[in-house]
């Protein structure tokens, strides 16, 4: 994968950088959302501001509770440290609530250059947030990669004209073939992107 020439890496948060035990089936049942529907789209479609506010308050409650138990995914700390050492710009794009997302980063002692949540841009799989990150770096979209563990992440990357990297530590989902890159261990990411070779040959980012 050394020919990708990636110059910016964007990550999903839950299930990619940090653990999450959000029970979406329970949340959907509590707000009246169909099991197969998109939760955020459902809330947005509710007929009154009061109903939307009540549903979102319940979602926030679940997200904050989940954040209090988040742990870093194995291999994340050392991988981020390596990427920073070669000058790679790093960001997070998450569908999460900003307050919960910040708490997760604090608990897990992770620091990245930039984080966009659903309060900053349209939620994935819309590519808006990914484009905002790349634009802030003044990088072509094709030189960025989005790393995530779910189909929305792959779809968002494709719609953003970025490389799609699927993190699949347990088993390959049926949508895995849509990804450009697949890693089973987080520490495999630099090699999968050709970045170890770039560091060894002095081709640092910038």
């Amino acid at each position: 994968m050394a020919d990708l020439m990636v110059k910016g890496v964007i990550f999903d948060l839950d299930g990619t950088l940090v653990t999450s035990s959000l029970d979406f089936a329970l949340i959907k049942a509590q707000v009246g959302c169909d099991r197969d529907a998109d939760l955020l789209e459902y809330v947005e479609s509710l007929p009154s501001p009061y109903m939307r506010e009540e549903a979102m308050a319940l979602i926030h409650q679940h997200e904050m509770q989940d954040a209090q138990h988040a742990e870093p995914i194995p291999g994340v700390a050392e991988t981020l440290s390596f990427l920073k050492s070669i000058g790679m710009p790093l960001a997070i794009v998450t569908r999460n609530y900003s307050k919960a997302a910040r708490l997760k980063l604090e608990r897990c002692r992770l620091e990245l250059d930039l984080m966009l949540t659903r309060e900053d841009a349209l939620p994935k799989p819309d590519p808006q947030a990914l484009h905002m990150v790349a634009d802030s770096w003044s990088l072509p979209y094709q030189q960025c990669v989005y790393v995530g563990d779910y189909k929305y992440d792959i779809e968002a990357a494709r719609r953003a004209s970025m490389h799609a990297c699927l993190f699949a530590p347990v088993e390959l989902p049926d949508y895995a073939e849509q990804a450009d890159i697949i890693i089973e261990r987080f520490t495999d990411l630099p090699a999968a992107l050709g970045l170890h070779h770039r560091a060894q040959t002095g081709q640092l980012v910038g």
Side-chain angles (χ1 to χ4, degrees):
M1 290 294 180
D3 59 340
L4 291 179
M5 287 308 298
V6 170
K7 294 187 177 180
V9 183
I10 310 171
F11 298 96
D12 170 46
L13 181 60
D14 292 349
T16 301
L17 296 180
V18 303
T19 61
S20 175
S21 56
L22 281 171
D23 188 338
F24 286 104
L26 175 60
I27 299 172
K28 288 180 178 182
Q30 290 178 340
V31 301
C33 176
D34 185 81
R35 190 180 184 92
D36 296 325
D38 181 278
L39 180 60
L40 297 180
E41 288 182 1
Y42 169 79
V43 173
E44 193 64 29
S45 73
L46 290 172
S48 75
Y50 174 77
M51 293 175 69
R52 292 193 291 272
E53 184 177 325
E54 286 290 294
M56 194 55 72
L58 186 127
I59 294 171
H60 286 169
Q61 181 180 344
H62 279 277
E63 289 176 315
M64 289 302 294
Q65 184 175 5
D66 182 56
Q68 293 169 19
H69 304 284
E71 300 291 341
I73 296 288
V76 163
E78 51 264 51
T79 301
L80 294 184
S81 178
F82 170 80
L83 293 175
K84 290 177 182 179
S85 76
I86 63 170
M88 182 68 66
L90 308 174
I92 294 170
V93 167
T94 174
R95 284 167 57 100
N96 215 319
Y97 171 45
S98 62
K99 188 175 180 180
R102 287 195 299 269
L103 177 57
K104 289 184 174 188
L105 292 184
E106 290 170 7
R107 270 190 54 84
C108 298
R109 299 181 180 180
L110 300 177
E111 292 185 16
L112 282 83
D113 307 322
L114 175 65
M115 179 169 67
L116 297 183
T117 71
R118 63 171 182 258
E119 294 155 78
D120 302 305
L122 294 173
K124 300 173 298 184
D126 192 284
Q128 183 185 40
L130 298 183
H131 285 163
M132 289 170 64
V133 171
D135 290 344
S136 75
W137 291 338
S138 299
L139 286 178
Y141 304 145
Q142 296 84 356
Q143 292 182 352
C144 297
V145 60
Y146 186 48
V147 183
D149 67 317
Y150 189 56
K151 62 182 178 181
Y152 282 171
D153 303 317
I154 300 175
E155 184 179 345
R158 290 197 165 281
R159 291 174 64 181
S161 298
M162 296 183 180
H163 302 292
C165 177
L166 176 66
F167 175 50
V170 180
E171 60 183 4
L172 288 182
D174 55 7
Y175 50 82
E177 61 184 18
Q178 300 172 34
D180 300 306
I181 307 153
I182 300 172
I183 56 172
E184 296 180 0
R185 298 178 304 173
F186 206 86
T187 50
D188 291 339
L189 180 63
L193 300 180
L195 299 178
H196 277 317
H197 171 75
R198 193 184 305 182
Q200 291 164 3
T201 57
Q203 299 174 33
L204 300 187
V205 177

